[in-house]
Amino acid sequence: MSIFNRFLKDESGATAIEYSLIAALMAAAIIAALTSFSGSLQTAFTGIGNTLTSAIK
């Protein structure tokens, strides 16, 4: 029974799990933001590409 109690009280992996959950939430937020701004980003990068292309010529 003492091995089971030590297992329940062991918190060494808790920090890694918490950090991975935070990273997953941040990734989901970034993906959601990029998805919602995809039209604006595409327009901006197309404009930048056109400017660079005309500067090279």
Side-chain angles (χ1 to χ4, degrees):
M1 191 65 173
S2 67
I3 294 173
F4 183 69
N5 287 335
R6 276 190 296 171
F7 178 74
L8 289 177
K9 292 180 182 179
D10 185 21
E11 296 182 4
S12 61
T15 304
I17 292 170
E18 291 168 356
Y19 283 136
S20 62
L21 287 173
I22 291 170
L25 288 173
M26 289 175 62
I30 290 170
I31 290 170
L34 289 177
T35 302
S36 66
F37 295 121
S38 64
S40 301
L41 287 174
Q42 184 174 6
T43 303
F45 281 116
T46 301
I48 292 169
N50 291 339
T51 303
L52 290 174
T53 302
S54 56
I56 292 173
K57 291 180 180 181

mmCIF file of all heavy atoms in Angstrom:
data_model
loop_
_atom_site.group_PDB
_atom_site.id
_atom_site.type_symbol
_atom_site.label_atom_id
_atom_site.label_comp_id
_atom_site.label_asym_id
_atom_site.label_seq_id
_atom_site.Cartn_x
_atom_site.Cartn_y
_atom_site.Cartn_z
ATOM 1 N N MET A 1 0.822 -1.201 0.000
ATOM 2 C CA MET A 1 0.000 0.000 0.000
ATOM 3 C C MET A 1 0.860 1.257 0.000
ATOM 4 O O MET A 1 0.456 2.265 -0.541
ATOM 5 C CB MET A 1 -0.915 -0.049 1.225
ATOM 6 C CG MET A 1 -1.997 0.977 1.217
ATOM 7 S SD MET A 1 -3.136 0.675 -0.136
ATOM 8 C CE MET A 1 -4.362 1.850 0.202
ATOM 9 N N SER A 2 2.053 1.208 0.585
ATOM 10 C CA SER A 2 2.901 2.404 0.633
ATOM 11 C C SER A 2 3.413 2.791 -0.756
ATOM 12 O O SER A 2 3.614 3.965 -1.025
ATOM 13 C CB SER A 2 4.072 2.187 1.593
ATOM 14 O OG SER A 2 4.935 1.192 1.079
ATOM 15 N N ILE A 3 3.605 1.825 -1.634
ATOM 16 C CA ILE A 3 4.044 2.139 -2.995
ATOM 17 C C ILE A 3 2.949 2.916 -3.720
ATOM 18 O O ILE A 3 3.226 3.894 -4.416
ATOM 19 C CB ILE A 3 4.387 0.839 -3.765
ATOM 20 C CG1 ILE A 3 5.605 0.171 -3.137
ATOM 21 C CG2 ILE A 3 4.623 1.129 -5.230
ATOM 22 C CD1 ILE A 3 5.912 -1.187 -3.723
ATOM 23 N N PHE A 4 1.711 2.508 -3.515
ATOM 24 C CA PHE A 4 0.587 3.200 -4.142
ATOM 25 C C PHE A 4 0.456 4.625 -3.610
ATOM 26 O O PHE A 4 0.221 5.563 -4.372
ATOM 27 C CB PHE A 4 -0.706 2.414 -3.891
ATOM 28 C CG PHE A 4 -1.907 3.009 -4.561
ATOM 29 C CD1 PHE A 4 -2.031 2.979 -5.932
ATOM 30 C CD2 PHE A 4 -2.903 3.608 -3.813
ATOM 31 C CE1 PHE A 4 -3.133 3.530 -6.557
ATOM 32 C CE2 PHE A 4 -4.013 4.162 -4.422
ATOM 33 C CZ PHE A 4 -4.128 4.116 -5.806
ATOM 34 N N ASN A 5 0.646 4.816 -2.312
ATOM 35 C CA ASN A 5 0.575 6.158 -1.712
ATOM 36 C C ASN A 5 1.693 7.051 -2.228
ATOM 37 O O ASN A 5 1.482 8.227 -2.501
ATOM 38 C CB ASN A 5 0.624 6.073 -0.188
ATOM 39 C CG ASN A 5 -0.676 5.552 0.392
ATOM 40 O OD1 ASN A 5 -1.721 5.684 -0.216
ATOM 41 N ND2 ASN A 5 -0.598 4.938 1.561
ATOM 42 N N ARG A 6 2.899 6.488 -2.365
ATOM 43 C CA ARG A 6 4.010 7.275 -2.916
ATOM 44 C C ARG A 6 3.726 7.672 -4.363
ATOM 45 O O ARG A 6 4.055 8.774 -4.786
ATOM 46 C CB ARG A 6 5.314 6.490 -2.846
ATOM 47 C CG ARG A 6 6.002 6.590 -1.512
ATOM 48 C CD ARG A 6 7.372 6.016 -1.581
ATOM 49 N NE ARG A 6 7.232 4.582 -1.879
ATOM 50 C CZ ARG A 6 8.238 3.769 -2.178
ATOM 51 N NH1 ARG A 6 9.465 4.244 -2.248
ATOM 52 N NH2 ARG A 6 8.046 2.498 -2.419
ATOM 53 N N PHE A 7 3.116 6.762 -5.106
ATOM 54 C CA PHE A 7 2.763 7.060 -6.496
ATOM 55 C C PHE A 7 1.753 8.203 -6.564
ATOM 56 O O PHE A 7 1.857 9.081 -7.416
ATOM 57 C CB PHE A 7 2.212 5.805 -7.169
ATOM 58 C CG PHE A 7 1.770 6.033 -8.582
ATOM 59 C CD1 PHE A 7 2.699 6.196 -9.595
ATOM 60 C CD2 PHE A 7 0.422 6.097 -8.907
ATOM 61 C CE1 PHE A 7 2.303 6.409 -10.899
ATOM 62 C CE2 PHE A 7 0.008 6.313 -10.208
ATOM 63 C CZ PHE A 7 0.952 6.470 -11.207
ATOM 64 N N LEU A 8 0.775 8.206 -5.683
ATOM 65 C CA LEU A 8 -0.232 9.266 -5.687
ATOM 66 C C LEU A 8 0.344 10.617 -5.274
ATOM 67 O O LEU A 8 -0.086 11.659 -5.763
ATOM 68 C CB LEU A 8 -1.386 8.902 -4.753
ATOM 69 C CG LEU A 8 -2.298 7.777 -5.233
ATOM 70 C CD1 LEU A 8 -3.359 7.474 -4.177
ATOM 71 C CD2 LEU A 8 -2.961 8.136 -6.547
ATOM 72 N N LYS A 9 1.329 10.618 -4.399
ATOM 73 C CA LYS A 9 1.910 11.870 -3.909
ATOM 74 C C LYS A 9 3.034 12.390 -4.800
ATOM 75 O O LYS A 9 3.462 13.524 -4.650
ATOM 76 C CB LYS A 9 2.434 11.680 -2.484
ATOM 77 C CG LYS A 9 1.327 11.456 -1.482
ATOM 78 C CD LYS A 9 1.876 11.262 -0.092
ATOM 79 C CE LYS A 9 0.748 10.980 0.884
ATOM 80 N NZ LYS A 9 1.234 10.757 2.236
ATOM 81 N N ASP A 10 3.507 11.577 -5.728
ATOM 82 C CA ASP A 10 4.604 11.978 -6.608
ATOM 83 C C ASP A 10 4.107 13.011 -7.603
ATOM 84 O O ASP A 10 3.197 12.758 -8.383
ATOM 85 C CB ASP A 10 5.166 10.769 -7.330
ATOM 86 C CG ASP A 10 6.370 11.098 -8.169
ATOM 87 O OD1 ASP A 10 7.011 12.135 -7.913
ATOM 88 O OD2 ASP A 10 6.690 10.308 -9.071
ATOM 89 N N GLU A 11 4.701 14.197 -7.589
ATOM 90 C CA GLU A 11 4.292 15.276 -8.484
ATOM 91 C C GLU A 11 5.385 15.643 -9.484
ATOM 92 O O GLU A 11 5.374 16.715 -10.061
ATOM 93 C CB GLU A 11 3.906 16.510 -7.663
ATOM 94 C CG GLU A 11 2.701 16.284 -6.789
ATOM 95 C CD GLU A 11 2.308 17.539 -6.036
ATOM 96 O OE1 GLU A 11 2.941 18.586 -6.261
ATOM 97 O OE2 GLU A 11 1.383 17.467 -5.230
ATOM 98 N N SER A 12 6.330 14.774 -9.709
ATOM 99 C CA SER A 12 7.459 15.104 -10.581
ATOM 100 C C SER A 12 7.036 15.280 -12.037
ATOM 101 O O SER A 12 7.621 16.070 -12.762
ATOM 102 C CB SER A 12 8.534 14.034 -10.480
ATOM 103 O OG SER A 12 8.022 12.782 -10.894
ATOM 104 N N GLY A 13 6.014 14.592 -12.497
ATOM 105 C CA GLY A 13 5.573 14.731 -13.880
ATOM 106 C C GLY A 13 4.497 15.780 -14.077
ATOM 107 O O GLY A 13 4.131 16.084 -15.208
ATOM 108 N N ALA A 14 3.998 16.334 -12.992
ATOM 109 C CA ALA A 14 2.907 17.299 -13.095
ATOM 110 C C ALA A 14 3.331 18.558 -13.840
ATOM 111 O O ALA A 14 2.565 19.101 -14.639
ATOM 112 C CB ALA A 14 2.387 17.655 -11.711
ATOM 113 N N THR A 15 4.537 19.023 -13.608
ATOM 114 C CA THR A 15 5.002 20.249 -14.260
ATOM 115 C C THR A 15 5.102 20.057 -15.772
ATOM 116 O O THR A 15 4.692 20.931 -16.538
ATOM 117 C CB THR A 15 6.367 20.661 -13.686
ATOM 118 O OG1 THR A 15 6.231 20.802 -12.281
ATOM 119 C CG2 THR A 15 6.827 21.965 -14.270
ATOM 120 N N ALA A 16 5.620 18.919 -16.191
ATOM 121 C CA ALA A 16 5.733 18.659 -17.629
ATOM 122 C C ALA A 16 4.361 18.615 -18.285
ATOM 123 O O ALA A 16 4.165 19.137 -19.389
ATOM 124 C CB ALA A 16 6.473 17.348 -17.864
ATOM 125 N N ILE A 17 3.407 18.032 -17.609
ATOM 126 C CA ILE A 17 2.050 17.962 -18.155
ATOM 127 C C ILE A 17 1.445 19.359 -18.237
ATOM 128 O O ILE A 17 0.804 19.719 -19.230
ATOM 129 C CB ILE A 17 1.176 17.027 -17.299
ATOM 130 C CG1 ILE A 17 1.655 15.587 -17.442
ATOM 131 C CG2 ILE A 17 -0.283 17.134 -17.688
ATOM 132 C CD1 ILE A 17 1.024 14.623 -16.483
ATOM 133 N N GLU A 18 1.656 20.157 -17.218
ATOM 134 C CA GLU A 18 1.127 21.521 -17.230
ATOM 135 C C GLU A 18 1.741 22.342 -18.359
ATOM 136 O O GLU A 18 1.031 23.063 -19.066
ATOM 137 C CB GLU A 18 1.392 22.198 -15.887
ATOM 138 C CG GLU A 18 0.572 21.612 -14.758
ATOM 139 C CD GLU A 18 1.034 22.074 -13.393
ATOM 140 O OE1 GLU A 18 2.057 22.794 -13.315
ATOM 141 O OE2 GLU A 18 0.372 21.722 -12.412
ATOM 142 N N TYR A 19 3.041 22.237 -18.534
ATOM 143 C CA TYR A 19 3.693 22.979 -19.623
ATOM 144 C C TYR A 19 3.200 22.499 -20.984
ATOM 145 O O TYR A 19 3.025 23.295 -21.910
ATOM 146 C CB TYR A 19 5.209 22.856 -19.541
ATOM 147 C CG TYR A 19 5.821 23.737 -18.480
ATOM 148 C CD1 TYR A 19 6.814 23.252 -17.637
ATOM 149 C CD2 TYR A 19 5.427 25.050 -18.317
ATOM 150 C CE1 TYR A 19 7.375 24.062 -16.665
ATOM 151 C CE2 TYR A 19 5.979 25.865 -17.354
ATOM 152 C CZ TYR A 19 6.961 25.360 -16.532
ATOM 153 O OH TYR A 19 7.507 26.167 -15.574
ATOM 154 N N SER A 20 2.985 21.212 -21.140
ATOM 155 C CA SER A 20 2.506 20.717 -22.433
ATOM 156 C C SER A 20 1.071 21.183 -22.693
ATOM 157 O O SER A 20 0.719 21.480 -23.831
ATOM 158 C CB SER A 20 2.614 19.197 -22.511
ATOM 159 O OG SER A 20 1.798 18.591 -21.527
ATOM 160 N N LEU A 21 0.246 21.267 -21.656
ATOM 161 C CA LEU A 21 -1.108 21.791 -21.833
ATOM 162 C C LEU A 21 -1.087 23.267 -22.217
ATOM 163 O O LEU A 21 -1.848 23.710 -23.086
ATOM 164 C CB LEU A 21 -1.930 21.594 -20.562
ATOM 165 C CG LEU A 21 -2.369 20.168 -20.266
ATOM 166 C CD1 LEU A 21 -3.026 20.089 -18.893
ATOM 167 C CD2 LEU A 21 -3.313 19.676 -21.335
ATOM 168 N N ILE A 22 -0.210 24.044 -21.595
ATOM 169 C CA ILE A 22 -0.079 25.459 -21.937
ATOM 170 C C ILE A 22 0.386 25.609 -23.386
ATOM 171 O O ILE A 22 -0.132 26.435 -24.137
ATOM 172 C CB ILE A 22 0.888 26.173 -20.965
ATOM 173 C CG1 ILE A 22 0.250 26.248 -19.575
ATOM 174 C CG2 ILE A 22 1.251 27.556 -21.465
ATOM 175 C CD1 ILE A 22 1.205 26.704 -18.484
ATOM 176 N N ALA A 23 1.366 24.798 -23.790
ATOM 177 C CA ALA A 23 1.859 24.853 -25.168
ATOM 178 C C ALA A 23 0.764 24.481 -26.158
ATOM 179 O O ALA A 23 0.640 25.102 -27.220
ATOM 180 C CB ALA A 23 3.060 23.933 -25.330
ATOM 181 N N ALA A 24 -0.044 23.499 -25.823
ATOM 182 C CA ALA A 24 -1.132 23.089 -26.709
ATOM 183 C C ALA A 24 -2.180 24.194 -26.833
ATOM 184 O O ALA A 24 -2.688 24.456 -27.931
ATOM 185 C CB ALA A 24 -1.775 21.806 -26.198
ATOM 186 N N LEU A 25 -2.502 24.849 -25.730
ATOM 187 C CA LEU A 25 -3.467 25.954 -25.780
ATOM 188 C C LEU A 25 -2.927 27.126 -26.585
ATOM 189 O O LEU A 25 -3.662 27.756 -27.353
ATOM 190 C CB LEU A 25 -3.829 26.407 -24.363
ATOM 191 C CG LEU A 25 -4.706 25.445 -23.567
ATOM 192 C CD1 LEU A 25 -4.846 25.927 -22.122
ATOM 193 C CD2 LEU A 25 -6.063 25.316 -24.218
ATOM 194 N N MET A 26 -1.642 27.419 -26.430
ATOM 195 C CA MET A 26 -1.045 28.505 -27.206
ATOM 196 C C MET A 26 -1.045 28.170 -28.693
ATOM 197 O O MET A 26 -1.318 29.036 -29.532
ATOM 198 C CB MET A 26 0.375 28.783 -26.715
ATOM 199 C CG MET A 26 0.419 29.435 -25.351
ATOM 200 S SD MET A 26 2.071 29.646 -24.697
ATOM 201 C CE MET A 26 2.795 30.725 -25.907
ATOM 202 N N ALA A 27 -0.738 26.928 -29.033
ATOM 203 C CA ALA A 27 -0.744 26.512 -30.438
ATOM 204 C C ALA A 27 -2.149 26.630 -31.023
ATOM 205 O O ALA A 27 -2.317 27.095 -32.155
ATOM 206 C CB ALA A 27 -0.226 25.089 -30.568
ATOM 207 N N ALA A 28 -3.147 26.226 -30.258
ATOM 208 C CA ALA A 28 -4.528 26.327 -30.735
ATOM 209 C C ALA A 28 -4.922 27.784 -30.942
ATOM 210 O O ALA A 28 -5.600 28.120 -31.929
ATOM 211 C CB ALA A 28 -5.472 25.652 -29.743
ATOM 212 N N ALA A 29 -4.492 28.667 -30.049
ATOM 213 C CA ALA A 29 -4.810 30.091 -30.186
ATOM 214 C C ALA A 29 -4.115 30.687 -31.413
ATOM 215 O O ALA A 29 -4.715 31.476 -32.151
ATOM 216 C CB ALA A 29 -4.396 30.840 -28.925
ATOM 217 N N ILE A 30 -2.879 30.310 -31.651
ATOM 218 C CA ILE A 30 -2.147 30.814 -32.814
ATOM 219 C C ILE A 30 -2.800 30.332 -34.110
ATOM 220 O O ILE A 30 -2.967 31.095 -35.064
ATOM 221 C CB ILE A 30 -0.664 30.402 -32.743
ATOM 222 C CG1 ILE A 30 0.031 31.169 -31.615
ATOM 223 C CG2 ILE A 30 0.047 30.624 -34.073
ATOM 224 C CD1 ILE A 30 1.414 30.676 -31.293
ATOM 225 N N ILE A 31 -3.181 29.059 -34.143
ATOM 226 C CA ILE A 31 -3.825 28.518 -35.337
ATOM 227 C C ILE A 31 -5.157 29.218 -35.589
ATOM 228 O O ILE A 31 -5.484 29.564 -36.728
ATOM 229 C CB ILE A 31 -4.002 26.991 -35.209
ATOM 230 C CG1 ILE A 31 -2.639 26.302 -35.288
ATOM 231 C CG2 ILE A 31 -4.947 26.449 -36.269
ATOM 232 C CD1 ILE A 31 -2.657 24.840 -34.937
ATOM 233 N N ALA A 32 -5.916 29.447 -34.527
ATOM 234 C CA ALA A 32 -7.200 30.135 -34.678
ATOM 235 C C ALA A 32 -7.000 31.560 -35.179
ATOM 236 O O ALA A 32 -7.744 32.034 -36.049
ATOM 237 C CB ALA A 32 -7.946 30.141 -33.349
ATOM 238 N N ALA A 33 -5.994 32.256 -34.656
ATOM 239 C CA ALA A 33 -5.734 33.626 -35.087
ATOM 240 C C ALA A 33 -5.288 33.665 -36.547
ATOM 241 O O ALA A 33 -5.748 34.516 -37.315
ATOM 242 C CB ALA A 33 -4.675 34.261 -34.188
ATOM 243 N N LEU A 34 -4.406 32.775 -36.924
ATOM 244 C CA LEU A 34 -3.943 32.753 -38.317
ATOM 245 C C LEU A 34 -5.070 32.387 -39.277
ATOM 246 O O LEU A 34 -5.125 32.908 -40.397
ATOM 247 C CB LEU A 34 -2.772 31.781 -38.469
ATOM 248 C CG LEU A 34 -1.459 32.227 -37.838
ATOM 249 C CD1 LEU A 34 -0.405 31.145 -37.992
ATOM 250 C CD2 LEU A 34 -0.977 33.521 -38.452
ATOM 251 N N THR A 35 -5.949 31.508 -38.837
ATOM 252 C CA THR A 35 -7.078 31.128 -39.683
ATOM 253 C C THR A 35 -8.026 32.305 -39.892
ATOM 254 O O THR A 35 -8.505 32.541 -41.004
ATOM 255 C CB THR A 35 -7.841 29.946 -39.058
ATOM 256 O OG1 THR A 35 -6.941 28.855 -38.896
ATOM 257 C CG2 THR A 35 -8.997 29.517 -39.933
ATOM 258 N N SER A 36 -8.272 33.060 -38.829
ATOM 259 C CA SER A 36 -9.204 34.175 -38.964
ATOM 260 C C SER A 36 -8.614 35.341 -39.763
ATOM 261 O O SER A 36 -9.350 36.096 -40.389
ATOM 262 C CB SER A 36 -9.656 34.659 -37.589
ATOM 263 O OG SER A 36 -8.573 35.223 -36.887
ATOM 264 N N PHE A 37 -7.298 35.479 -39.766
ATOM 265 C CA PHE A 37 -6.654 36.562 -40.512
ATOM 266 C C PHE A 37 -6.018 36.089 -41.810
ATOM 267 O O PHE A 37 -5.211 36.798 -42.406
ATOM 268 C CB PHE A 37 -5.563 37.225 -39.660
ATOM 269 C CG PHE A 37 -6.094 37.916 -38.444
ATOM 270 C CD1 PHE A 37 -5.670 37.551 -37.185
ATOM 271 C CD2 PHE A 37 -7.016 38.943 -38.557
ATOM 272 C CE1 PHE A 37 -6.147 38.188 -36.053
ATOM 273 C CE2 PHE A 37 -7.507 39.584 -37.440
ATOM 274 C CZ PHE A 37 -7.075 39.204 -36.185
ATOM 275 N N SER A 38 -6.385 34.905 -42.281
ATOM 276 C CA SER A 38 -5.707 34.335 -43.449
ATOM 277 C C SER A 38 -5.890 35.192 -44.702
ATOM 278 O O SER A 38 -4.958 35.332 -45.499
ATOM 279 C CB SER A 38 -6.193 32.910 -43.709
ATOM 280 O OG SER A 38 -7.569 32.911 -44.043
ATOM 281 N N GLY A 39 -7.058 35.775 -44.884
ATOM 282 C CA GLY A 39 -7.277 36.619 -46.076
ATOM 283 C C GLY A 39 -6.394 37.846 -46.052
ATOM 284 O O GLY A 39 -5.770 38.203 -47.059
ATOM 285 N N SER A 40 -6.314 38.495 -44.904
ATOM 286 C CA SER A 40 -5.469 39.691 -44.780
ATOM 287 C C SER A 40 -3.999 39.346 -44.942
ATOM 288 O O SER A 40 -3.240 40.087 -45.575
ATOM 289 C CB SER A 40 -5.687 40.339 -43.416
ATOM 290 O OG SER A 40 -7.026 40.697 -43.243
ATOM 291 N N LEU A 41 -3.592 38.217 -44.368
ATOM 292 C CA LEU A 41 -2.193 37.811 -44.489
ATOM 293 C C LEU A 41 -1.840 37.482 -45.929
ATOM 294 O O LEU A 41 -0.756 37.837 -46.405
ATOM 295 C CB LEU A 41 -1.916 36.599 -43.595
ATOM 296 C CG LEU A 41 -1.859 36.870 -42.102
ATOM 297 C CD1 LEU A 41 -1.739 35.559 -41.335
ATOM 298 C CD2 LEU A 41 -0.680 37.765 -41.764
ATOM 299 N N GLN A 42 -2.743 36.809 -46.619
ATOM 300 C CA GLN A 42 -2.473 36.466 -48.011
ATOM 301 C C GLN A 42 -2.336 37.722 -48.861
ATOM 302 O O GLN A 42 -1.433 37.821 -49.698
ATOM 303 C CB GLN A 42 -3.579 35.569 -48.559
ATOM 304 C CG GLN A 42 -3.306 35.089 -49.962
ATOM 305 C CD GLN A 42 -4.349 34.098 -50.425
ATOM 306 O OE1 GLN A 42 -5.333 33.845 -49.752
ATOM 307 N NE2 GLN A 42 -4.136 33.543 -51.605
ATOM 308 N N THR A 43 -3.190 38.696 -48.639
ATOM 309 C CA THR A 43 -3.118 39.954 -49.377
ATOM 310 C C THR A 43 -1.812 40.683 -49.083
ATOM 311 O O THR A 43 -1.152 41.196 -49.999
ATOM 312 C CB THR A 43 -4.311 40.855 -49.003
ATOM 313 O OG1 THR A 43 -5.518 40.144 -49.268
ATOM 314 C CG2 THR A 43 -4.295 42.150 -49.780
ATOM 315 N N ALA A 44 -1.423 40.714 -47.816
ATOM 316 C CA ALA A 44 -0.185 41.396 -47.429
ATOM 317 C C ALA A 44 1.035 40.730 -48.055
ATOM 318 O O ALA A 44 1.911 41.399 -48.610
ATOM 319 C CB ALA A 44 -0.060 41.423 -45.912
ATOM 320 N N PHE A 45 1.094 39.389 -47.981
ATOM 321 C CA PHE A 45 2.252 38.697 -48.536
ATOM 322 C C PHE A 45 2.276 38.755 -50.057
ATOM 323 O O PHE A 45 3.356 38.802 -50.663
ATOM 324 C CB PHE A 45 2.306 37.243 -48.049
ATOM 325 C CG PHE A 45 2.839 37.118 -46.654
ATOM 326 C CD1 PHE A 45 2.039 36.630 -45.639
ATOM 327 C CD2 PHE A 45 4.134 37.488 -46.348
ATOM 328 C CE1 PHE A 45 2.518 36.511 -44.348
ATOM 329 C CE2 PHE A 45 4.630 37.378 -45.069
ATOM 330 C CZ PHE A 45 3.824 36.891 -44.059
ATOM 331 N N THR A 46 1.130 38.791 -50.687
ATOM 332 C CA THR A 46 1.086 38.954 -52.142
ATOM 333 C C THR A 46 1.625 40.329 -52.526
ATOM 334 O O THR A 46 2.397 40.458 -53.491
ATOM 335 C CB THR A 46 -0.352 38.776 -52.658
ATOM 336 O OG1 THR A 46 -0.813 37.479 -52.295
ATOM 337 C CG2 THR A 46 -0.419 38.946 -54.160
ATOM 338 N N GLY A 47 1.233 41.348 -51.776
ATOM 339 C CA GLY A 47 1.745 42.695 -52.033
ATOM 340 C C GLY A 47 3.249 42.787 -51.842
ATOM 341 O O GLY A 47 3.960 43.412 -52.637
ATOM 342 N N ILE A 48 3.740 42.164 -50.779
ATOM 343 C CA ILE A 48 5.189 42.157 -50.530
ATOM 344 C C ILE A 48 5.913 41.430 -51.653
ATOM 345 O O ILE A 48 6.950 41.886 -52.145
ATOM 346 C CB ILE A 48 5.492 41.511 -49.162
ATOM 347 C CG1 ILE A 48 4.970 42.400 -48.034
ATOM 348 C CG2 ILE A 48 6.984 41.249 -48.998
ATOM 349 C CD1 ILE A 48 4.984 41.741 -46.679
ATOM 350 N N GLY A 49 5.360 40.296 -52.080
ATOM 351 C CA GLY A 49 5.983 39.535 -53.173
ATOM 352 C C GLY A 49 6.004 40.314 -54.466
ATOM 353 O O GLY A 49 7.007 40.311 -55.188
ATOM 354 N N ASN A 50 4.919 40.997 -54.763
ATOM 355 C CA ASN A 50 4.877 41.812 -55.984
ATOM 356 C C ASN A 50 5.879 42.956 -55.922
ATOM 357 O O ASN A 50 6.532 43.285 -56.915
ATOM 358 C CB ASN A 50 3.466 42.350 -56.213
ATOM 359 C CG ASN A 50 2.493 41.263 -56.576
ATOM 360 O OD1 ASN A 50 2.885 40.202 -57.035
ATOM 361 N ND2 ASN A 50 1.204 41.523 -56.350
ATOM 362 N N THR A 51 5.999 43.572 -54.756
ATOM 363 C CA THR A 51 6.968 44.678 -54.593
ATOM 364 C C THR A 51 8.392 44.175 -54.785
ATOM 365 O O THR A 51 9.207 44.809 -55.466
ATOM 366 C CB THR A 51 6.813 45.313 -53.205
ATOM 367 O OG1 THR A 51 5.468 45.763 -53.050
ATOM 368 C CG2 THR A 51 7.764 46.471 -53.017
ATOM 369 N N LEU A 52 8.691 43.027 -54.196
ATOM 370 C CA LEU A 52 10.046 42.473 -54.348
ATOM 371 C C LEU A 52 10.315 42.053 -55.788
ATOM 372 O O LEU A 52 11.429 42.247 -56.286
ATOM 373 C CB LEU A 52 10.223 41.278 -53.403
ATOM 374 C CG LEU A 52 10.289 41.602 -51.927
ATOM 375 C CD1 LEU A 52 10.322 40.333 -51.098
ATOM 376 C CD2 LEU A 52 11.506 42.464 -51.611
ATOM 377 N N THR A 53 9.328 41.494 -56.428
ATOM 378 C CA THR A 53 9.497 41.068 -57.828
ATOM 379 C C THR A 53 9.758 42.273 -58.738
ATOM 380 O O THR A 53 10.639 42.238 -59.603
ATOM 381 C CB THR A 53 8.255 40.301 -58.309
ATOM 382 O OG1 THR A 53 8.040 39.176 -57.465
ATOM 383 C CG2 THR A 53 8.427 39.826 -59.742
ATOM 384 N N SER A 54 9.007 43.343 -58.540
ATOM 385 C CA SER A 54 9.208 44.527 -59.389
ATOM 386 C C SER A 54 10.508 45.238 -59.029
ATOM 387 O O SER A 54 11.095 45.914 -59.878
ATOM 388 C CB SER A 54 8.020 45.460 -59.285
ATOM 389 O OG SER A 54 7.771 45.838 -57.960
ATOM 390 N N ALA A 55 11.006 45.105 -57.819
ATOM 391 C CA ALA A 55 12.278 45.728 -57.446
ATOM 392 C C ALA A 55 13.457 44.999 -58.070
ATOM 393 O O ALA A 55 14.488 45.607 -58.351
ATOM 394 C CB ALA A 55 12.421 45.765 -55.921
ATOM 395 N N ILE A 56 13.311 43.714 -58.289
ATOM 396 C CA ILE A 56 14.387 42.909 -58.872
ATOM 397 C C ILE A 56 14.526 43.204 -60.360
ATOM 398 O O ILE A 56 15.616 43.185 -60.907
ATOM 399 C CB ILE A 56 14.132 41.410 -58.620
ATOM 400 C CG1 ILE A 56 14.258 41.098 -57.131
ATOM 401 C CG2 ILE A 56 15.089 40.550 -59.410
ATOM 402 C CD1 ILE A 56 13.854 39.700 -56.761
ATOM 403 N N LYS A 57 13.433 43.509 -61.044
ATOM 404 C CA LYS A 57 13.455 43.710 -62.496
ATOM 405 C C LYS A 57 14.121 44.973 -62.884
ATOM 406 O O LYS A 57 14.425 45.920 -62.494
ATOM 407 C CB LYS A 57 12.032 43.699 -63.052
ATOM 408 C CG LYS A 57 11.416 42.336 -62.960
ATOM 409 C CD LYS A 57 10.019 42.376 -63.530
ATOM 410 C CE LYS A 57 9.407 40.991 -63.423
ATOM 411 N NZ LYS A 57 8.087 40.953 -63.965
#
